[in-house]
């Protein structure tokens, strides 16, 4: 039975990964300091093969016994979280990546880094292939996340080259689904929370900026395929279905049967104007193809938030 360690295991994506690897028969260790993750996300995983360790991965980390895979998913991941915790965000992307790579070396484990479309910044190439080096403002407020993840990619490649460990890098595009935090500020929980409370929907800027939204189980499928593949260089995972944020607000209103008004607020600094992954590499190397249509995924997500008490 392989043992898989998932940092950020109590977070949104991390908790779905825990579920998936348990279903594949792995022994799963979730490590999290719970600053943005929550035990609620993993409370249902009552399985003798599942363990939780509360630990800050920027500090020296160790686990007993064999570890076959390490997936480094710990990090604040929403703009308001990393603006609220800029130093912690820089530390988890840099020191946390270093510590978890060190453990991978010690255990001779395969290592997968959660990177992000943010490494492309406000892209000047559209859609974004992995070969694009990006357009990041290193000193802007988003730089704490973007540059930490760029450093994390460099560190991961260096450990692969220098220490000869097996490394993988996934560049994750906008992902949504159950277990996002209602107050994490990202557009999906923000819009759904607004329509369910019958509050106005706040669109930043004119709403002409675009994103491509991927349902979390499709992302997890792509990550598993990448982990088991031989590809050492970064691979984009997401969907190619791109829409404007204003169009997205209208769609959520329609799906929730809401008449909530749309109000406009200033666009945050360095908010990317367009984002869509070029998935050619994921299709070709991994046979990856997302299967959940946006409306289906949003219905499931709306249902999840409806069932929550904290609305
Ligand atoms: N956005 C918005 N209203 C909100 C939250 C976000 O209009 O309440 C916009 C945001 O400015 C960005 C897009 O939605 O253009 C996606 O934002 P999110 O924070 O989800 O992720 P990003 O892709 O910017 O990292």
């Amino acid at each position: 039975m392989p043992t898989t360690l998932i940092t950020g295991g109590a977070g949104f994506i991390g908790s779905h990964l825990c579920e998936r690897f348990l279903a594949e028969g792995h022994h799963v260790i979730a490590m999290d300091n719970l600053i943005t993750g929550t035990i609620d996300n993993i409370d249902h995983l009552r399985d003798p093969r599942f363990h939780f360790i509360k630990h800050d991965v920027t500090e020296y980390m160790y686990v007993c016994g064999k570890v076959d895979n390490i997936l480094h998913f710990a990090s604040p991941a929403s703009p308001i979280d990393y603006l609220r915790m800029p130093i912690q965000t820089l530390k988890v992307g840099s020191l946390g990546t270093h510590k978890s790579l060190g453990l991978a070396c010690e255990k001779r484990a395969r290592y997968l880094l959660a990177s992000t479309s943010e490494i492309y910044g406000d892209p000047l190439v559209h859609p974004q292939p992995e070969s694009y080096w990006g357009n990041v403002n290193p000193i802007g407020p988003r730089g704490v996340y973007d540059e930490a993840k760029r450093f994390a990619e460099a560190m991961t490649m260096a450990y692969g080259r220098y220490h000869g460990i097996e490394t993988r890098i996934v560049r994750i595009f906008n992902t949504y689904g159950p277990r996002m935090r209602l107050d994490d500020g990202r557009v999906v929980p923000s819009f759904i929370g607004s329509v369910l409370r019958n509050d106005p929907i706040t669109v930043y800027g004119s709403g002409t900026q675009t994103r491509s939204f991927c349902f979390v189980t499709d992302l997890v499928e792509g990550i598993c395929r990448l982990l088991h593949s031989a590809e050492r260089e970064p691979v984009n995972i997401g969907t190619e279905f791109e829409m404007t944020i204003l169009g997205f607000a209208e769609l959520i209103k329609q799906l929730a049967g809401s008449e909530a008004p749309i109000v406009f607020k200033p666009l945050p600094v360095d908010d990317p104007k367009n984002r869509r992954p070029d998935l050619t590499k994921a299709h070709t190397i991994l046979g990856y193809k997302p299967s959940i249509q946006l409306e289906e995924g949003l219905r499931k997500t709306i249902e999840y938030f409806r069932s929550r008490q904290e609305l």
Side-chain angles (χ1 to χ4, degrees):
M1 190 194 297
T3 298
T4 296
L5 169 67
I6 300 169
T7 77
F12 161 49
I13 297 174
S15 64
H16 285 275
L17 286 168
C18 290
E19 223 165 64
R20 170 68 186 249
F21 283 101
L22 282 171
E24 287 192 2
H26 293 217
H27 182 128
V28 173
I29 305 168
M31 187 177 276
D32 205 300
N33 65 355
L34 303 177
I35 61 167
T36 55
T38 164
I39 292 293
D40 281 355
N41 287 341
I42 49 173
D43 212 24
H44 60 295
L45 301 176
R46 306 280 166 116
D47 188 307
R49 289 176 294 119
F50 181 69
H51 296 279
F52 172 71
I53 302 174
K54 185 166 186 285
H55 183 71
D56 179 345
V57 297
T58 66
E59 306 287 341
Y60 178 78
M61 60 195 269
Y62 193 74
V63 292
C64 294
K66 78 176 178 82
V67 177
D68 302 285
N69 305 298
I70 298 177
L71 285 79
H72 182 37
F73 276 70
S75 179
S78 82
I80 63 164
D81 282 347
Y82 48 77
L83 299 185
R84 196 163 48 87
M85 294 177 281
I87 313 291
Q88 185 66 27
T89 302
L90 280 159
K91 284 174 71 181
V92 74
S94 53
L95 304 180
T97 302
H98 181 224
K99 299 287 181 281
S100 52
L101 278 164
L103 183 62
C105 253
E106 166 70 22
K107 301 286 184 183
R108 302 315 291 174
R110 182 171 286 213
Y111 185 88
L112 185 143
L113 171 72
S115 185
T116 166
S117 55
E118 282 285 322
I119 67 110
Y120 301 122
D122 188 6
L124 304 176
V125 169
H126 193 75
Q128 295 81 57
E130 290 85 350
S131 54
Y132 178 48
W133 289 355
N135 177 39
V136 169
N137 174 4
I139 56 168
R142 291 175 91 105
V144 297
Y145 184 64
D146 303 6
E147 293 296 0
K149 288 292 188 180
R150 290 171 71 95
F151 174 89
E153 287 200 5
M155 183 70 116
T156 301
M157 292 302 292
Y159 263 71
R161 290 186 185 114
Y162 186 76
H163 288 299
I165 57 167
E166 288 286 340
T167 59
R168 308 286 180 263
I169 299 175
V170 59
R171 289 188 182 151
I172 300 171
F173 281 66
N174 293 70
T175 302
Y176 70 98
R179 303 198 203 118
M180 292 186 98
R181 259 184 22 245
L182 196 57
D183 65 350
D184 92 354
R186 279 183 282 192
V187 70
V188 172
S190 164
F191 284 4
I192 295 179
S194 296
V195 295
L196 295 184
R197 288 187 304 265
N198 225 5
D199 286 344
I201 299 181
T202 308
V203 167
Y204 297 146
S206 59
T208 52
Q209 70 273 33
T210 63
R211 296 292 187 273
S212 312
F213 295 99
C214 180
F215 191 65
V216 64
T217 52
D218 278 332
L219 172 75
V220 164
E221 176 64 30
I223 290 169
C224 288
R225 287 178 185 229
L226 175 60
L227 180 71
H228 299 309
S229 79
E231 181 59 34
R232 288 166 170 271
E233 295 202 353
V235 179
N236 291 336
I237 298 288
T239 71
E240 285 167 328
F241 182 72
E242 179 183 3
M243 67 189 307
T244 66
I245 293 302
L246 188 56
F248 191 62
E250 297 288 1
L251 176 62
I252 288 189
K253 274 181 64 171
Q254 180 203 321
L255 293 177
S258 159
E259 292 299 321
I262 295 176
V263 296
F264 294 87
K265 285 201 179 158
L267 197 63
V269 177
D270 296 332
D271 198 285
K273 284 181 270 312
N274 300 105
R275 185 184 284 157
R276 168 158 58 102
D278 181 331
L279 293 179
T280 311
K281 190 171 177 186
H283 290 318
T284 315
I285 297 182
L286 310 177
Y288 167 77
K289 199 170 179 300
S291 66
I292 308 285
Q293 298 298 314
L294 184 59
E295 295 197 2
E296 181 189 351
L298 284 176
R299 280 185 213 284
K300 289 182 196 213
T301 311
I302 291 171
E303 239 359 270
Y304 168 78
F305 283 120
R306 252 196 240 281
S307 70
R308 308 285 295 170
Q309 302 293 320
E310 76 250 38
L311 267 179

